[in-house]
Amino acid sequence: MSGTFLGLPAFPEAAAAAVQDERLRANLRHATGTIRAKRARAVAELADWAELRAAAKAVKDRTLDRLDHYLVRLEQNVTAAGGQVHWAADAEEANRIVTGLVRATGEREVVKVKSMATQEIGLNEALAEAGIRAYETDLAELIVQLGNDRPSHILVPAIHRNRGEIRDIFADRMADLGRPAPEGLTDEPAELAEAARLHLREKFLRAKVAVSGANFMIAETGTLVVVESEGNGRMCLTLPRTLISVVGIEKVLPTWRDLEIFLQLLPRSATAERMNPYTSLWTGTHADGPDGDGPEEFHLVLLDNGRTDVLADRTGRQALRCIRCSACLNVCPVYERAGGHAYGSVYPGPIGAILTPQLRGTETPLDASLPYASSLCGACYEVCPVAIDIPEVLVHLRERVADGPRHRLARAAAAAAAYVLDHPGLLRAAERAAARTRRLHPRRLPGPGRAWTDTRELPAVPPEPFRDWWRRNRG
Amino acid sequence: MRVALFATCVNDALMPSTAIATVRLLERLGVEVDFPAAQSCCGQPQFNSGYRRACEPLVRRTVRAFAGYRHVVAPSGSCVATVRTAHPRIAARAGGGLAAAVGELTPRVYELSEFLVDVLGVEDVGAWFPHPVTYHPSCHGLRLLGLGDRPLRLLRAVRGLELLELPGAEECCGFGGTFALKNAAVSAAMAADKTAAALATGAEVLCGGDTSCLLHLGGTLRRQGAPLRPLHLAEILASTEAEPWRAP
Ligand code: SF4
């Protein structure tokens, strides 16, 4: 993944700092609380939600089982419709391919459709190094880009910002990247949207090259699908001559009909809408054949970047079903308090906690801490439209971390505790010793125990364990 | 009817009153209670921390301890959830016929409110508890077991009890086992929000079905000096006019 996140602190430290940030807490509480309630209402409207969810899971699992087959079909059909398919094993290769393609057009700037895959590989930075400017056109991505900030949410990357902060970013920074913000800009949503519209319109009309991702790719027809709310994506997908789409290999669906399921699940889960305002579909280039309705030149870069490793893990691979709806973030009590930046990845929240350590490995302290960034409350699994059992994968990844070399001591301690619990004689002796010394137990613990006693009293040790009560009264 | 009480290690060591209340309640309802002494921990803390293999002896022990009982009752949503969801996963990887033994045990293990409502078919257990109470449905009972409104139905039938709705009830209290230590800041922030919501109801008692969540919330409330005491559902249901509940 992108180098932007290297060297960040482990989740607990970053989260502890975020918890102290009152403004961030208020922004997140408000934003996630609102969307959470709306999603619940939108989902409750569909009597067959459980069946849709099961169908989506089945389609994705079936596709992942024969991913190679569907990708080859996709390549054939994209090619037949006039597009060119490129295969990128990792971020570096993908960046090299895209940079080369832009250079070949002779252009020095591109407009971008909101895309997670291009953030994952750090494409904007790679393009900048090659002297090519990439302009984000999704409103929230624009806010993040103008603010030299990092995204903190999959769907609403600037969720950590409120209206006042956005106004300041527009007023201060728009002029550096193009048309300045209007004089006297206030924090009224309509004014902010108008400022963004004017700023972006200039770029849409000028751009010759666009870069996008895709929500779905249809193997059967070679069609790509982008689902969005603003219409800015549609501008990028239709106006420029050349379109380069960078898409993770897990985004392929076998047939056109499969869209029926996903186009119902995604908008309700993501924005709580019955249907999203813009769904753009294109097949190849418009020059080629009766079915071709894409741009003049179309390139599809299929991105692996760790995905085949995820696929090899029977438990972990379910993370590849993800359709990036963000429902798990919006419902997560840990995300709400820690904020997206604490996850140190473009994929924050519950899905990030299981995806990032699988894509990047668990070598760094940050990546090794992500599987523990959860109380395992299960709210994410409950809302996930493709039924990813996130708690199951978290525990599975904890096992991977715990088996690692840094955890020899903790592993020994866990084994010792299990040994005592498996020997009732020892357990009873330990319980009785605790009961006898109960008046000596301190209120506040030193060392790691402080994590409990900083904000909570220790439980009082009872005069006798239940076993002894039972023996005296019923035994 | 004879049942085995699965007291759980946390209740055994730290909150015997919950197990004692469960015994009193079940006996009052005409159930004969056994406490198989071979029982221990279900392995939840080890399993959830990634030490799956360390759980294997505990799974074997649980299977052995409760062999021969048609009903096993535990006053803990998360321990029953561990038996139902984690034990099969541990057993599947352990081999040695453990999976079959686990598969045979799991359908016989009930969380207390499930046992009362589904097996005994009672909602009014004849309890008396004249206090305002609010109820926090712990996550594993709520989402992994699907307890639904069973605990609330039991509480509504308690004479004298005023049940006050807890806003945001379904949100996690922030305990999460080792999460409370590994991510103490976020855990504490979640506990603070949960206790604030509970206090705002005006209840005197914060009722729950999982002792570990109650220890975490109770410890937070005591540190705050807040006028709200945690009680397990079993303790409220054990209380009668003739014998009001008093923790031993
Ligand atoms: S894991 Fe599920 S809920 Fe979370 S973003 Fe992906 S599809 Fe949505």
Side-chain angles (χ1 to χ4, degrees), chain B residues 62-182:
Chain B
T62 305
V63 166
R64 257 196 332 269
F66 298 114
Y69 288 96
R70 268 194 64 189
H71 299 101
V72 179
V73 183
S76 163
S78 67
C79 300
V80 174
T82 299
V83 171
R84 272 193 211 156
T85 61
H87 282 198
R89 285 178 198 163
I90 297 163
R93 306 263 303 258
L98 190 55
V102 164
E104 200 273 318
L105 171 67
T106 41
R108 296 186 279 117
V109 181
Y110 296 86
E111 186 273 341
L112 178 63
S113 71
E114 277 179 337
F115 180 74
L116 295 171
V117 173
D118 300 354
V119 180
L120 294 186
V122 288
E123 286 183 15
D124 182 354
V125 296
W128 175 83
F129 191 78
H131 301 280
V133 173
T134 192
Y135 177 78
H136 167 61
S138 286
C139 303
H140 292 176
L142 183 73
R143 301 198 179 88
L144 291 178
L145 300 182
L147 294 183
D149 65 349
R150 287 181 188 81
L152 293 174
R153 270 144 66 193
L154 291 160
L155 286 171
R156 278 193 206 106
V158 174
R159 267 167 288 289
L161 185 148
E162 185 194 353
L163 187 60
L164 299 163
E165 195 185 319
L166 178 64
E170 303 200 342
E171 190 167 310
C172 177
C173 71
F175 173 63
T178 48
F179 176 77
L181 300 174
K182 281 192 185 273

Side-chain angles (χ1 to χ4, degrees), chain A residues 11-13 15-17 19-20 25 29 36 315 333-334 336-338 369 372-379 381-382 389 391-392 395-396 398-400 402-403 407 410-412 414-415 417-418 420-424 427-428 431 443-444 448-449 451-470 474, chain B residues 5 7 9 11-16 19-20 23-24 27 33-41 45-55 57-58 61 64 89 93 139-140 142-144 170-172 174-191 193-194 212 215-220 222-224 248:
Chain A
F11 183 84
E13 287 86 69
V19 161
Q20 301 299 325
R25 283 278 295 281
R29 191 181 310 129
R36 207 182 285 177
T315 305
V334 177
E336 183 191 317
R337 289 165 183 85
S369 72
Y372 300 90
S374 165
S375 65
L376 304 179
C377 82
Y381 177 31
E382 194 174 51
D389 191 340
E392 181 191 12
V395 168
H396 172 71
R398 288 177 187 187
E399 191 176 332
R400 194 185 285 180
D403 277 343
H407 285 71
R411 206 155 57 231
V420 172
L421 290 165
D422 191 32
H423 290 77
L427 178 61
R428 216 154 39 234
E431 285 173 348
R443 252 190 101 210
R444 283 171 205 248
W452 182 276
T453 56
D454 272 354
T455 59
R456 290 159 285 219
E457 295 293 318
L458 279 176
V461 177
E464 62 177 356
F466 174 73
R467 285 169 195 279
D468 289 1
W469 179 92
W470 179 268
R474 298 286 192 285
Chain B
L5 171 67
C9 66
N11 285 320
D12 180 22
L14 293 173
M15 204 49 81
I20 296 168
V23 173
R24 255 177 61 176
E27 289 180 344
V33 182
D34 275 359
F35 175 72
Q39 67 180 272
S40 178
C41 172
Q46 292 84 353
F47 182 76
N48 284 349
S49 306
Y51 303 103
R52 176 179 46 80
R53 277 183 303 271
C55 304
L58 298 174
R61 169 170 290 282
R64 257 196 332 269
R89 285 178 198 163
R93 306 263 303 258
C139 303
H140 292 176
L142 183 73
R143 301 198 179 88
L144 291 178
E170 303 200 342
E171 190 167 310
C172 177
F175 173 63
T178 48
F179 176 77
L181 300 174
K182 281 192 185 273
N183 279 287
V186 179
S187 168
M190 288 162 70
D193 289 344
K194 180 61 75 181
S212 26
L215 290 174
H216 158 77
L217 292 172
T220 304
R222 267 198 294 146
R223 176 61 56 84
Q224 296 166 353

